[in-house]
Amino acid sequence: MADTATTASAASAAASAPNASTDAPPFQLGKPRFQQTSFYGRFRHFLDIIDPRTLFVTEKRLREAVQLLEDYKHGTLRPGVTNEQLWSAQKIKQAILHPDTNEKIFMPFRMSGYIPFGTPIVVGLLLPNQTLASTVFWQWLNQSHNACVNYANRNATKPSPASKFIQGYLGAVISAVSIAVGLNVLVQKANKFTPATRLLVQRFVPFPAVASANICNVVLMRYGELEEGIDVLDADGNLVGSSKIAARHALLETALTRVVLPMPILVLPPIVMSMLEKQLAGAQCCRVTHGKAWLCPGGGTG
């Protein structure tokens, strides 16, 4: 009761501060800044989670943010602190410190570092004319990065055996590498493909490899939920029981999400690159031989 009273008084002080931001909603400790009942609210919430600017927060700024939240929690907030400052402090803390252990998450494995550190890996996956060694390397590196991110941001309230993470990691790596290598070998042996078609098909190989590895990882990591069920809550957040049917739905929806999420970065770039190459080829097709322009097979002049 004392903690609730002090938190309420701190919230009142923050809301009534003279320089309080009119745009920021009233601060709620541990709650999302944006309403989660709409797509836009969830979108803004996840933009905050992956904001790469939090990677550049100094140790001093982190300590100040943590101290500000502690002051709010114990009702000792100094006068003049705004809701915007409180939201900013909470964003910094949640981006850098693990919510269960309060330990710093290694920068490449933070959610805010997923895009900056993952983009070079995606570029490597999409490189044309890859050798067997490069295909294995980039698929292994991608799944290793994903595994480290998953482990660094795990739920630490219920400790899981390390063997479960290792099992999921090995399953993802093996499935990704085997599918990528297998598809590349099949494409190379497809004599009916022209060199241009073979190159285009090879650029799409990373997507099924990554998607299948994601599904394998989800199934191996969360298979126990199908046997034990998951907790079901009512609209007020109260536990009403455990359900295997809900676990099955959750697992299927998560697996489907893991297939859809890589599509923009692994499917769209090959399509765009193919279109650009055709335009560049058409522009460069015009050539002069013995002072004459010849008609290119594609309809341009050469």
Side-chain angles (χ1 to χ4, degrees):
M1 290 297 292
D3 286 344
T4 304
T6 53
T7 302
S9 63
S12 176
S16 60
N19 57 339
S21 172
T22 56
D23 295 332
F27 179 72
Q28 292 180 289
L29 187 65
K31 301 292 184 180
R33 173 173 180 169
F34 302 98
Q35 291 293 331
Q36 301 296 287
T37 53
S38 67
F39 171 80
Y40 179 72
R42 293 191 293 271
F43 177 70
R44 290 292 303 275
H45 174 62
F46 280 102
L47 282 183
D48 264 359
I49 291 176
I50 64 173
D51 188 350
R53 292 176 297 179
T54 57
L55 296 173
F56 303 99
V57 172
T58 63
E59 188 71 26
K60 178 183 178 182
R61 179 71 183 94
L62 174 61
R63 289 197 300 267
E64 291 174 350
V66 172
Q67 186 59 51
L68 189 64
L69 295 176
E70 286 296 315
D71 291 344
Y72 173 87
K73 182 179 179 180
H74 295 100
T76 58
L77 202 62
R78 66 180 184 275
V81 176
T82 65
N83 285 311
E84 183 63 41
Q85 290 174 308
L86 289 169
W87 284 119
S88 178
Q90 180 162 273
K91 175 180 175 178
I92 290 172
K93 180 182 178 182
Q94 291 179 342
I96 300 176
L97 302 181
H98 192 283
D100 301 326
T101 64
N102 268 332
E103 296 178 354
K104 288 183 67 174
I105 300 174
F106 188 43
M107 189 180 292
F109 306 146
R110 298 174 192 170
M111 295 308 299
S112 55
Y114 192 75
I115 294 178
F117 290 96
T119 299
I121 299 176
V122 173
V123 173
L125 289 171
L126 296 174
L127 289 175
N129 301 319
Q130 293 202 38
T131 63
L132 175 63
S134 65
T135 299
V136 172
F137 171 76
W138 288 112
Q139 290 292 342
W140 165 80
L141 185 61
N142 180 52
Q143 294 306 324
S144 297
H145 181 243
N146 289 341
C148 290
V149 171
N150 291 337
Y151 182 78
N153 296 276
R154 70 195 184 282
N155 184 345
T157 57
K158 295 181 179 180
S160 299
S163 59
K164 179 177 288 189
F165 291 98
I166 295 174
Q167 185 183 34
Y169 168 66
L170 291 177
V173 170
I174 293 172
S175 60
V177 170
S178 59
I179 290 177
V181 172
L183 289 177
N184 275 323
V185 171
L186 289 176
V187 171
Q188 291 293 341
K189 291 184 177 181
N191 297 326
K192 295 182 180 180
F193 289 162
T194 64
T197 303
R198 184 179 290 110
L199 178 61
L200 178 62
V201 174
Q202 281 181 320
R203 285 177 174 167
F204 286 101
V205 167
F207 172 67
V210 170
S212 62
N214 289 343
I215 294 175
C216 183
N217 182 270
V218 169
V219 173
L220 290 174
M221 293 289 291
R222 299 179 58 178
Y223 181 77
E225 296 178 6
L226 296 176
E227 298 178 338
E228 301 173 6
I230 59 175
D231 293 342
V232 179
L233 310 178
D234 61 17
D236 298 323
N238 301 314
L239 180 65
V240 296
S242 180
S243 170
K244 293 183 180 180
I245 297 177
R248 185 167 63 249
H249 280 292
L251 195 61
L252 289 174
E253 291 175 359
T254 303
L256 179 61
T257 302
R258 297 292 180 89
V259 172
V260 174
L261 285 178
M263 291 182 69
I265 58 175
L266 295 179
V267 175
L268 293 181
I271 296 175
V272 173
M273 288 299 297
S274 177
M275 295 173 61
L276 290 176
E277 286 173 355
K278 287 182 179 179
Q279 290 182 353
L280 290 174
Q284 294 175 355
C285 193
C286 184
R287 53 189 172 84
V288 178
T289 305
H290 300 299
K292 295 182 179 179
W294 300 89
L295 184 66
C296 289
T301 58

